[in-house]
Amino acid sequence: MVVEPRVKDFICTTAHPVGCAQNVKNQIEYVKSKGAVKSDNAPKKVLVIGASTGYGLASRIAVAFGYGADTLGVMFEKESNGRRTATAGFYNNRAFEEEAHKAGLYAKSINGDAFSVEIKEQVIETIKADMGKIDMIVYSLAAPRRTTPDGTKYTSVLKTVGEEYTNKTLVLKDNTITDAHITAANDDEINATIKVMGGEDWIDWMQALSDARVLADNVITVAYSYIGPKITFPIYAEGSIGQAKKDLYKSADIINEKFPNIKAKIAINKALVTQSSAAIPIVPLYITLLYKVMKEKGLHEGCIEQMQRLFMDKILDDTQVDDNGFIRMDDWEMRDDVQEVVAEHWDTVNNDNVKDIADIDGYWEDFYNMFGFKIDGVDYSADVDIM
Ligand code: NAD
């Protein structure tokens, strides 16, 4: 079948198997080009929860090809039924496993709901059978809903807290600027968002792994968050998702207190185009303005550059944290000289100048690349096996 992109709102409903594989190979080459980690303490057996796309996939690639680590991945992806393509994460994951095996690394993946008790048990059985003990856990889930062990279903929302909020946004279907009006979440919606994107499930994972005695004596676990500039505060840091992230920070403290052999860390990552961030109102416009400035200054990074830098330069060094104990991978994004220009452009951006001051092409390039499209060297006119 010849596979073409089919874009609907902020998602592409098709994915290209060869393009996704090439994307993964390119990320692996990037990590290899930077060299292996020098530390003897580098983790060797890593569990990545949310391993198939975005920051989780890049984390897995960084630890596998930077530390030489064996990896077990957990993801929630759809296989192809022969008529529709699989999801991008499915193809990414398969390509990752193939490349890891070629490099002599253990790599297995479990496709299912990471929030469930069953998948936690399956992971533990696999660790016991294949890995013995693990020494790092990356928690990189971005999910719209969660069913808790008692069977209750929660759906997260992307809303403000308190006041409603109106600001500019980029209409992705025609690249125009319009106003986005974001309503305030009610208490139930805030609580549901905390249930889905907060830290309760992260703690559950640590408890389950600890009870099963599959953790090494010194374990690092890391979860990701975003802070960003004032422009995005109402929708992100101070919005419903921000409340969930505050819960994630508290959960890191709980893990550190409860499990003496686990060091729980929070990395604040850069705003990037991923399947999750594309769904947040206002953020895509901020990202296009940010990309433009960071590219002009030679500071731009994608998921793999961020994660290579996190795992090779920062996470093993406990001194590389801010006053809150966070690892700041948004250090370049938040530089004054970057944010001053972005804020200026935010005030002036309109339909006439958006193409000049916002990196619309860069946004769409990243967007298509996520689904395996518009990747250099891939023949998109060729018939491909979508299974
Ligand atoms: P993403 O959508 O690219 O990846 C999400 C991953 O979670 C995928 O591997 C998916 O298969 C998996 N997943 C989702 N639901 C699951 C479930 N129920 N069971 C098992 N796996 C499941 O998202 P991302 O942008 O890489 O986000 C990862 C983390 O990074 C999130 O915590 C997010 O808040 C954070 N973060 C993202 C950005 C950004 O700009 N994208 C910036 C800073 C921090």
Side-chain angles (χ1 to χ4, degrees):
M1 180 195 287
V2 172
V3 183
E4 286 180 356
R6 230 177 283 148
V7 178
K8 225 174 128 209
D9 301 325
F10 46 76
I11 191 88
C12 179
T13 58
T14 53
H16 199 282
V18 179
C20 287
Q22 189 57 48
N23 200 355
V24 168
K25 284 182 203 159
N26 293 348
Q27 293 192 47
I28 292 172
E29 281 317 308
Y30 176 79
V31 171
K32 282 168 65 180
S33 76
K34 292 285 172 180
V37 76
K38 308 269 182 312
S39 168
D40 294 336
N41 304 329
K44 284 282 178 260
K45 291 177 195 283
V46 181
L47 170 64
V48 183
I49 304 165
S52 52
T53 57
Y55 275 121
L57 171 66
S59 304
R60 191 178 192 186
I61 292 172
V63 298
F65 291 89
Y67 295 164
D70 291 342
T71 57
L72 177 60
V74 184
M75 58 177 183
F76 206 32
E77 301 292 347
K78 275 206 188 88
E79 292 185 40
S80 166
N81 60 6
R83 279 171 287 117
R84 291 175 69 96
T85 68
T87 50
F90 179 87
Y91 295 134
N92 290 339
N93 192 67
R94 187 171 61 194
F96 170 82
E97 285 189 3
E98 273 171 25
E99 294 303 314
H101 294 158
K102 271 192 233 162
L105 299 169
Y106 172 90
K108 233 186 215 177
S109 310
I110 292 175
N111 193 4
D113 182 6
F115 294 125
S116 71
V117 173
E118 294 74 31
I119 290 296
K120 290 185 177 74
E121 284 171 355
Q122 220 175 305
V123 164
I124 286 166
E125 288 318 309
T126 308
I127 296 171
K128 280 184 181 165
D130 298 353
M131 302 170 98
K133 290 184 190 276
I134 52 172
D135 47 13
M136 178 175 262
I137 302 110
V138 177
Y139 189 81
S140 186
L141 288 185
R145 60 192 73 83
R146 168 181 173 212
T147 304
T148 46
D150 65 3
T152 316
K153 290 182 168 53
Y154 296 93
T155 301
S156 67
V157 298
L158 291 162
K159 294 188 177 182
T160 60
V161 169
E163 301 277 301
E164 300 188 346
Y165 183 66
T166 302
N167 209 327
K168 293 173 194 182
T169 195
L170 180 67
V171 183
L172 290 169
K173 69 175 186 303
D174 58 10
N175 301 328
T176 56
I177 307 291
T178 184
D179 272 349
H181 181 67
I182 299 148
T183 54
N186 62 33
D187 287 348
D188 285 348
E189 289 173 321
I190 295 168
N191 288 334
T193 308
I194 292 171
K195 280 279 180 192
V196 181
M197 288 298 286
E200 189 177 65
D201 181 65
W202 188 22
I203 300 174
D204 285 355
W205 269 103
M206 295 308 118
Q207 188 70 58
L209 294 164
S210 175
D211 289 348
R213 302 187 187 286
V214 292
L215 296 177
D217 294 340
N218 291 302
V219 177
I220 295 175
T221 186
V222 62
Y224 301 138
S225 183
Y226 180 67
I227 295 178
K230 278 208 180 93
I231 312 162
T232 62
F233 275 7
I235 183 64
Y236 203 97
E238 300 298 341
S240 51
I241 179 74
Q243 307 313 306
K245 292 300 185 186
K246 282 177 196 160
D247 184 74
L248 191 75
Y249 309 155
K250 269 194 266 160
S251 305
D253 295 339
I254 292 171
I255 293 169
N256 282 324
E257 275 162 32
K258 202 167 173 192
F259 306 98
N261 59 329
I262 308 180
K263 238 184 241 172
K265 303 191 175 208
I266 299 283
I268 309 292
N269 296 345
K270 178 191 181 198
L272 279 177
V273 183
T274 65
Q275 295 191 37
S276 303
S277 68
I280 310 177
I282 294 178
V283 167
L285 177 59
Y286 168 72
I287 288 180
T288 58
L289 297 172
L290 177 75
Y291 273 25
K292 183 83 174 184
V293 177
M294 291 190 80
K295 283 181 185 175
E296 277 171 6
K297 290 182 181 288
L299 296 171
H300 181 68
E301 295 177 300
C303 287
I304 196 61
E305 290 85 357
Q306 279 265 295
M307 294 299 96
Q308 191 278 336
R309 200 155 64 88
L310 170 65
F311 288 98
M312 300 309 127
D313 299 351
K314 302 231 182 196
I315 207 167
L316 303 179
D317 176 356
D318 291 340
T319 65
Q320 298 232 27
V321 289
D322 70 6
D323 294 344
N324 294 309
F326 299 155
I327 305 172
R328 300 304 296 257
M329 298 313 302
D330 63 344
D331 44 358
W332 299 350
E333 168 180 355
M334 296 312 292
R335 263 172 46 167
D336 288 347
D337 61 327
V338 171
Q339 286 301 325
E340 275 159 21
V341 185
V342 172
E344 211 179 288
H345 287 175
W346 183 273
D347 287 341
T348 54
V349 70
N350 57 37
N351 281 326
D352 298 328
N353 63 13
V354 62
K355 292 210 166 57
D356 301 323
I357 60 176
D359 185 17
I360 305 262
D361 291 346
Y363 186 94
W364 281 111
E365 187 184 319
D366 277 12
F367 181 89
Y368 281 109
N369 288 177
M370 268 194 310
F371 300 95
F373 296 105
K374 301 187 195 256
I375 308 257
D376 284 349
V378 177
D379 177 3
Y380 289 102
S381 63
D383 256 332
V384 288
D385 180 1
I386 60 167
M387 294 306 284

